[in-house]
Amino acid sequence: AQSVTQPDIHITVSEGASLELRCNYSYGATPYLFWYVQSPGQGLQLLLKYFSGDTLVQGIKGFEAEFKRSQSSFNLRKPSVHWSDAAEYFCAVGTGANNLFFGTGTRLTVIP
Amino acid sequence: DGGITQSPKYLFRKEGQNVTLSCEQNLNHDAMYWYRQDPGQGLRLIYYSQIVNDFQKGDIAEGYSVSREKKESFPLTVTSAQKNPTAFYLCASRYTGGRENEQFFGPGTRLTVL
């Protein structure tokens, strides 16, 4: 069965510091992987996605993620966090049925 | 502008009443989805539809019903059989022409049952 684990419920970083959000997945086939961001009371916006090819993918707002098959991970990174990055971040795995399975999310707080 | 609209943004209902949440998209997407979001639990799939006049249950379909009479619309009814309906509900759609396409989300409806 497919599953997604985001081990960090809440992360606090200082503005300008680097960020890494962890995501581990379990899926029997080659996964389609996504990172979404959600501001409070809003819908989800796609940050980036991985399907095949280069394992380092670039997304919007300066985010990137690296797919590591050996570790079943798809961690999200940003070199310098801005106050506007404060939000909740969700990792998701897509299956052959084209449905998405989401992790429980990581809430990011940015302090000045 | 193309996108997904959900209405209303906030909805209050008395316990025991059915309520219908609206989801409309003008992206010409074939597939549409309904998710429920609770704090600390991520998103859970309620129902999805890959084509007009067809839909499938997701992981937590009990107490919910849907219809897909038009490509653009996928309303969700929360029935009185849903034991804990207070939650944030998100609708999404996806273009099915390729294998790898992401889902696009609406702004959500927060339902509170009093």
Side-chain angles (χ1 to χ4, degrees):
Chain A
Q2 54 280 322
S3 65
V4 177
T5 301
Q6 293 181 248
D8 303 306
I9 296 173
H10 184 205
I11 285 181
T12 299
V13 300
S14 298
E15 190 168 15
S18 63
L19 172 70
E20 182 170 28
L21 302 181
R22 296 183 290 166
C23 173
N24 292 95
Y25 69 90
S26 173
Y27 184 55
T30 300
Y32 303 150
L33 295 163
F34 305 82
W35 275 100
Y36 284 87
V37 62
Q38 183 182 34
S39 297
Q42 302 297 317
L44 276 67
Q45 179 184 23
L46 181 71
L47 285 175
L48 48 77
K49 58 187 178 183
Y50 171 79
F51 299 119
S52 63
D54 193 348
T55 56
L56 184 64
V57 293
Q58 303 296 321
I60 62 171
K61 303 185 181 185
F63 286 92
E64 66 178 26
E66 186 171 11
F67 171 57
K68 293 185 178 180
R69 185 184 299 275
S70 62
Q71 299 178 20
S72 297
S73 69
F74 189 56
N75 294 350
L76 182 71
R77 300 194 295 248
K78 186 169 185 177
S80 178
V81 170
H82 188 262
W83 64 266
S84 61
D85 293 325
E88 188 144 22
Y89 292 79
F90 291 93
C91 181
V93 60
T95 71
N98 296 311
N99 294 337
L100 293 182
F101 290 87
F102 287 85
T104 52
T106 298
R107 183 162 61 94
L108 174 66
T109 298
V110 181
I111 56 177
Chain B
D1 287 338
I4 302 175
T5 57
Q6 293 186 243
S7 60
K9 187 170 180 62
Y10 299 98
L11 190 54
F12 297 89
R13 279 296 181 269
K14 292 183 179 179
E15 193 171 340
Q17 290 182 334
N18 292 356
V19 60
T20 297
L21 282 59
S22 169
C23 177
E24 304 276 336
Q25 55 97 1
N26 61 4
L27 300 168
N28 199 33
H29 288 171
D30 288 305
M32 297 187 74
Y33 305 80
W34 273 106
Y35 293 91
R36 171 182 171 137
Q37 186 177 23
D38 297 281
Q41 296 194 44
L43 278 70
R44 293 181 290 169
L45 183 65
I46 304 172
Y47 268 98
Y48 65 101
S49 169
Q50 303 276 44
I51 197 169
V52 174
N53 292 322
D54 188 46
F55 48 82
Q56 286 78 40
K57 294 181 179 180
D59 300 319
I60 56 165
E62 184 175 354
Y64 300 97
S65 65
V66 295
S67 63
R68 187 85 187 278
E69 297 177 0
K70 299 186 299 181
K71 186 176 185 178
E72 303 80 17
S73 178
F74 192 40
L76 173 74
T77 297
V78 184
T79 75
S80 57
Q82 169 50 234
K83 295 179 181 178
N84 185 20
T86 294
F88 190 54
Y89 290 88
L90 286 160
C91 179
S93 70
R94 186 180 68 88
Y95 171 64
T96 57
R99 292 184 303 133
E100 309 122 344
N101 296 314
E102 66 270 24
Q103 293 181 17
F104 293 81
F105 284 82
T109 291
R110 184 165 299 281
L111 173 64
T112 302
V113 175
L114 307 173

